[in-house]
Amino acid sequence: MYPNDGFREVGRQECLRLMAEVSVGRIVYTRRALPAVLPVNFSLDDDGAVVLRTSAASDLVRAVDGAVVAFEADDVDAARHSGWSVVVTGTATVVTDPAEHERLARTGPVSWVPAPREVFVRIEPELVTGRELIGGRTLYGVNLTA
């Protein structure tokens, strides 16, 4: 990002606040030694961890448990050329503690595709970065609202 290029860096707390406003994001992980991206619904736990709920038999669970992943969420207004994007990078783990699983069953995300046996995946927010695009502003003097 360059000064006055229309982007604004967003701090960690604001990133987490913005993410709490949306319910769909994308998890970025490794599948067969290649990058994979999967849209998922999610929620944020009280400590800022990203929480996913998915089938215990899913390929995603096997691929991410114990791995470092990235998670991206955003909100874009195409008409105004504005929006924000937040990326959380951290270790993903399947929740195995029965009490924690029960708590998340009450407070965590509800799966959009329920399965007979579901698990929760937590992504610990080790690195949280974000940026906001402020519509109509650019370093190059181009009028984006025209």
Side-chain angles (χ1 to χ4, degrees), residues 47-75:
D47 62 357
V50 175
V51 179
L52 316 176
R53 184 179 198 159
T54 189
S55 168
S58 73
D59 290 338
L60 175 67
V61 170
R62 289 187 295 280
V64 303
D65 192 22
V68 173
V69 301
F71 186 85
E72 190 270 345
D74 56 38
D75 189 28

Side-chain angles (χ1 to χ4, degrees), residues 27 48-52 69-71 88-93 121-125:
I27 185 167
V50 175
V51 179
L52 316 176
V69 301
F71 186 85
V88 171
T89 305
T91 303
T93 55
V121 175
R122 286 178 57 89
I123 303 169
E124 297 300 328

Side-chain angles (χ1 to χ4, degrees), residues 7-144:
F7 288 102
R8 177 178 74 86
E9 288 187 41
V10 179
R12 182 185 181 99
Q13 291 307 314
E14 187 175 0
C15 283
L16 295 175
R17 182 189 61 74
L18 289 168
M19 286 184 73
E21 295 176 0
V22 297
S23 60
V24 175
R26 284 150 296 285
I27 185 167
V28 182
Y29 62 102
T30 303
R31 182 175 60 202
R32 296 185 190 148
L34 296 171
V37 180
L38 184 65
V40 293
N41 68 302
F42 74 100
S43 67
L44 289 183
D45 208 354
D46 294 337
D47 62 357
V50 175
V51 179
L52 316 176
R53 184 179 198 159
T54 189
S55 168
S58 73
D59 290 338
L60 175 67
V61 170
R62 289 187 295 280
V64 303
D65 192 22
V68 173
V69 301
F71 186 85
E72 190 270 345
D74 56 38
D75 189 28
V76 176
D77 183 334
R80 293 185 178 183
H81 302 143
S82 62
W84 57 265
S85 174
V86 171
V87 176
V88 171
T89 305
T91 303
T93 55
V94 173
V95 173
T96 57
D97 178 64
E100 179 72 356
H101 188 278
E102 186 177 314
R103 181 185 73 80
L104 289 172
R106 290 188 316 272
T107 63
V110 175
S111 179
W112 289 8
V113 184
R117 211 173 113 242
E118 295 178 325
V119 295
F120 292 96
V121 175
R122 286 178 57 89
I123 303 169
E124 297 300 328
E126 296 166 26
L127 178 62
V128 179
T129 59
R131 65 188 204 162
E132 177 184 28
L133 173 61
I134 302 160
R137 221 174 106 194
T138 175
L139 173 70
Y140 308 106
V142 176
N143 181 358
L144 297 177

